[in-house]
Amino acid sequence: MKCRKCGGKAVINMRQHKLSLCTEHYLDWIPEQTERFITKYRMFSPQDRILVAVSGGKDSLSLWDILTQLGYQADGLYIGLGIDGGNGYSDLSQHLSEQFAESRGLSLHVVSVPEEFGATIPEMSTRTLRGKGKPCSVCGLTKRHIMNRMAVESSYDVLATGHNLDDEAAVLFGNTINWQTGFLARQSPVLEAHHPGLMRKVKPLCRFYEREMAAYAILQKIEYVYEECPYAIGSKSIYYKELLNQLEAERPGAKLSFYLSFLKAKDEGLFASKSTQDRTSLNTCHNCGQPTTAPGECAFCRMITAINR
Ligand code: Q46
Ligand code: ZN
Ligand code: ZN
């Protein structure tokens, strides 16, 4: 297998793009493509201040690496969830995020959920669900609240997350088989802020396969946490990813085409009425000032009240 650009030894073959590249050209190709997506979806400009949500994993650290390489002003935000799972998952991911920031002279905001709210994510979940179910819904709600609040309070222009194509295709698949039209209307590489307390959100890696990001992180020698969060095991999203991988093995490019065809259909007006509906129905939480679809308090503030009861 030879690199298409220089004829040297290729380290990756991307069947969906009919493209093989050597280390050097692969490490150039990923940032070039990222820049293309940033421009295509009008994500941000060099004047914008970007907050990157960093988890210590390959995608978010690679995203931060790529954005700074491309010359963007990007700071990081790490949220400590207090998840141990027997392998010190949160401690290790925080350590690797801090190490990454320090080695490159970048600034990283750290918010600790246990310090700020008096309980770890699994503890919060036990209190709200009374021991039933996984902590993922509590975790997602908490992370979204903190990310938005930190980005708005520190006057960033945009919040960037490291979701890759496999993440986006799995979400799309789950929403499609259940025809979750509200969620489908909101799924996009760019989520505009339709409320003063809401931050714009972008996903610059949404067109890269997970294996492409893993290859990038390894070849770029980024030290990241290999283990998944212990609560991700057995999740629906991993199951959907496996199904999509089976499809991809038979039909290279199927995942990318599933996602891109969806974006095209949305551009052509699919779910347009649903998006307008969502935009007009946002209120302000009486307690924290963040946008909410519910009248009165937002879901996060209601959850914190329930935990402290
Ligand atoms: S939601 Fe669930 Fe993730 Fe939170 S508890 Fe772990 S698996 S980290 S993306
Ligand atoms: Zn080459
Ligand atoms: Zn609130």
Side-chain angles (χ1 to χ4, degrees):
M1 206 172 52
K2 285 186 175 172
C3 170
R4 192 199 295 160
K5 304 229 166 146
C6 68
K9 188 174 177 290
V11 290
I12 186 161
N13 176 25
M14 294 170 281
R15 288 206 295 164
Q16 70 284 4
H17 300 308
K18 296 189 178 64
L19 180 66
S20 302
L21 293 170
C22 68
T23 301
E24 186 194 334
H25 286 117
Y26 188 65
L27 291 177
D28 287 343
W29 184 79
I30 290 278
E32 279 163 19
Q33 292 296 305
T34 311
E35 182 75 88
R36 239 190 77 212
F37 306 151
I38 291 169
T39 310
K40 178 176 173 52
Y41 298 113
R42 298 191 185 90
M43 291 187 174
F44 41 75
S45 68
Q47 288 72 43
D48 288 329
R49 288 181 66 235
I50 305 158
L51 184 63
V52 182
V54 170
S55 69
K58 63 183 185 319
D59 303 299
S60 56
L61 289 181
S62 295
L63 172 61
W64 202 7
D65 171 271
I66 295 164
L67 294 183
T68 49
Q69 254 193 72
L70 290 170
Y72 290 104
Q73 313 169 53
D75 295 342
L77 166 64
Y78 176 82
I79 302 174
L81 305 169
I83 293 174
D84 182 270
N87 59 7
Y89 172 75
S90 284
D91 287 348
L92 181 61
S93 41
Q94 179 166 351
H95 167 71
L96 292 175
S97 305
E98 287 175 340
Q99 181 181 285
F100 179 94
E102 212 176 308
S103 67
R104 287 162 164 82
L106 299 170
S107 58
L108 177 70
H109 303 268
V110 176
V111 176
S112 158
V113 170
E115 276 172 30
E116 194 156 323
F117 302 104
T120 64
I121 289 289
E123 287 166 353
M124 280 162 94
S125 172
T126 309
R127 289 187 209 168
T128 49
L129 302 168
R130 297 188 194 88
K132 281 181 238 141
K134 285 194 177 201
C136 294
S137 59
V138 166
C139 182
L141 186 61
T142 307
K143 285 193 288 192
R144 284 194 298 277
H145 176 89
I146 296 173
M147 287 190 286
N148 191 69
R149 192 195 72 202
M150 287 296 292
V152 170
E153 281 180 4
S154 307
S155 307
Y156 284 94
D157 296 294
V158 67
L159 175 77
T161 56
H163 294 95
N164 59 42
L165 175 69
D166 292 48
D167 299 323
E168 290 302 291
V171 168
L172 175 59
F173 186 74
N175 288 339
T176 304
I177 56 171
N178 295 306
W179 285 116
Q180 301 266 26
T181 51
F183 291 144
L184 287 164
R186 278 196 295 274
Q187 189 175 0
S188 167
V190 177
L191 268 185
E192 294 297 345
H194 298 297
H195 187 281
L198 198 62
M199 182 53 47
R200 251 181 119 237
K201 298 185 185 75
V202 296
K203 299 170 186 168
L205 308 182
C206 65
R207 289 176 60 156
F208 291 119
Y209 281 70
E210 184 159 352
R211 74 181 274 269
E212 293 170 356
M213 290 323 301
Y216 180 82
I218 291 165
L219 294 170
Q220 183 69 344
K221 300 188 173 60
I222 293 172
E223 255 199 89
Y224 64 89
V225 60
Y226 290 99
E227 289 82 16
E228 291 266 9
C229 167
Y231 297 106
I233 299 162
S235 68
K236 259 195 199 145
S237 100
I238 291 194
Y239 175 60
Y240 294 153
K241 282 183 182 177
E242 284 166 3
L243 289 179
L244 290 164
N245 282 342
Q246 284 178 29
L247 185 65
E248 181 77 23
E250 295 288 326
R251 285 180 45 203
K255 248 186 280 191
L256 186 59
S257 137
F258 177 48
Y259 182 60
L260 294 185
S261 316
F262 160 72
L263 294 183
K264 185 161 174 276
K266 265 186 70 175
D267 270 356
E268 289 167 0
L270 189 69
F271 308 120
S273 59
K274 197 75 193 166
S275 315
T276 325
Q277 218 176 306
D278 281 351
R279 229 174 273 177
T280 48
S281 55
L282 278 183
N283 304 303
T284 301
C285 169
H286 294 171
N287 186 45
C288 70
Q290 289 216 31
T292 171
T293 45
E297 281 194 352
C298 72
F300 179 76
C301 289
R302 278 186 277 129
M303 179 182 79
I304 294 295
T305 311
I307 286 170
N308 295 329
R309 210 170 268 151

